[in-house]
Amino acid sequence: EAGVAQSPRYKIIEKRQSVAFWCNPISGHATLYWYQQILGQGPKLLIQFQNNGVVDDSQLPKDRFSAERLKGVDSTLKIQPAKLEDSAVYLCASSLYVQGNTGELFFGEGSRLTVL
Amino acid sequence: KNQVEQSPQSLIILEGKNCTLQCNYTVSPFSNLRWYKQDTGRGPVSLTIMTFSENTKSNGRYTATLDADTKQSSLHITASQLSDSASYICVVSARSDYKLSFGAGTTVTVRA
């Protein structure tokens, strides 16, 4: 079974530039998550999708971050304009929908962003 | 505020030795607790998931324990191997909204 695919694996940009990350979840997984992981910290949820609808985006900095999940499958996360503090690994995860609970999360390899 | 605290922040052990990582949480009401292993430069991989009624769960040389009364969990690594060098993250799910609270992780370094 193919895992969660993410690209690019690495990206270096200058501040104020834009960047986009792509995620393809495991086939059949209705729930998709984007996490930001700063070095030495645990992942922080940015946005959670259920199919193509947003379940939770309370911690997404909406002035610069945006995400979409068209057709309920692939998802893209965009940052525009980037700031130095956006340097982090962006993890995508997916899970099966579980009634009344959170399913087991399967993570991608992550996209490492460096903002100079 | 739901919080997950892990200790120690990092540890170094010799190959073949055992070690125990701690996780304390304030998440309430509790749904389940998960331990993930994250190799450097990779995404986290699930080791165990424990519900309220489970006290112990093993996955090979990894054994997780849960004390829901004291809101503590531990992850014991037996006969460590070089491949155990990684960050171990404790994650707790709340039964109220099923949101996941992540700890900062414990970095384990196994040396030959």
Side-chain angles (χ1 to χ4, degrees), chain B residues 31-61:
Chain B
S31 175
N32 60 67
L33 185 145
R34 310 157 186 229
W35 282 96
Y36 285 86
K37 178 187 179 189
Q38 186 174 24
D39 292 322
T40 301
R42 309 292 292 273
V45 174
S46 178
L47 291 176
T48 64
I49 300 177
M50 288 189 293
T51 60
F52 184 89
S53 59
E54 296 174 297
N55 300 118
T56 303
K57 204 159 194 179
S58 293
N59 179 355
R61 294 178 297 100

Side-chain angles (χ1 to χ4, degrees), chain A residues 20-66:
Chain A
F21 302 112
W22 172 82
C23 173
N24 181 244
I26 292 173
S27 177
H29 281 196
T31 310
L32 184 147
Y33 310 79
W34 281 103
Y35 287 92
Q36 179 193 59
Q37 187 175 26
I38 292 172
L39 188 64
Q41 299 181 18
K44 176 186 119 177
L45 180 68
L46 292 176
I47 189 166
Q48 176 183 344
F49 292 96
Q50 184 70 28
N51 296 308
N52 61 348
V54 175
V55 173
D56 184 356
D57 65 355
S58 57
Q59 297 191 87
L60 186 73
K62 298 180 184 63
D63 58 333
R64 298 183 300 106
F65 286 64
S66 65

Side-chain angles (χ1 to χ4, degrees), chain A residues 6 9 16 28-29 33 44 48-49 53 65 68 76 86-87 99 114:
Chain A
Q6 288 190 247
R9 287 295 314 277
R16 290 187 289 274
H29 281 196
Y33 310 79
K44 176 186 119 177
Q48 176 183 344
F49 292 96
F65 286 64
E68 60 181 10
T76 57
D86 297 333
S87 293
Q99 178 71 31
T114 301

Side-chain angles (χ1 to χ4, degrees), chain A residues 78-89:
Chain A
K78 296 179 181 178
I79 307 174
Q80 182 180 15
K83 292 185 175 181
L84 295 177
E85 58 261 36
D86 297 333
S87 293
V89 175

Side-chain angles (χ1 to χ4, degrees), chain A residues 5-21:
Chain A
Q6 288 190 247
S7 68
R9 287 295 314 277
Y10 306 94
K11 189 75 176 179
I12 300 174
I13 62 174
E14 295 188 347
K15 59 183 179 183
R16 290 187 289 274
Q17 286 187 326
S18 63
V19 63
F21 302 112

